[in-house]
Amino acid sequence: MTVEKKTAFKRARNPMPASVEAALNEHGLLEAYQARPPYQRNDYLGWISRAKRDATRQKRIDQMLAELKEGGKYMNMAWSGGRSQT
């Protein structure tokens, strides 16, 4: 018997484009991405997918990768769930 886990997540889930997954894998950051809360992962994907220009899309991907690598940041804001900055 399986039990379906209910979550408070109300927004539509954004799919992960293959190019974003490839970038995460290429930079060794897929695990750091998966460690983020669901709302952050969803926000990153929606923000990236809403870019109209390829240059804007790439800039957003680069920002996400930098924040995941650095830790302690989410959408250019301090995030307490990240790695400590010592």
Side-chain angles (χ1 to χ4, degrees), residues 32-72:
Y33 171 83
Q34 291 172 337
R36 292 293 179 111
Y39 76 91
Q40 285 188 12
R41 297 190 307 255
N42 196 54
D43 287 352
Y44 274 132
L45 295 178
W47 180 57
I48 290 166
S49 69
R50 285 189 303 275
K52 302 278 189 244
R53 298 175 55 231
D54 289 339
T56 303
R57 185 173 186 276
Q58 188 58 53
K59 183 178 176 182
R60 291 176 180 184
I61 291 171
D62 292 344
Q63 180 181 325
M64 178 190 71
L65 294 172
E67 290 176 358
L68 291 171
K69 183 177 182 182
E70 181 182 329

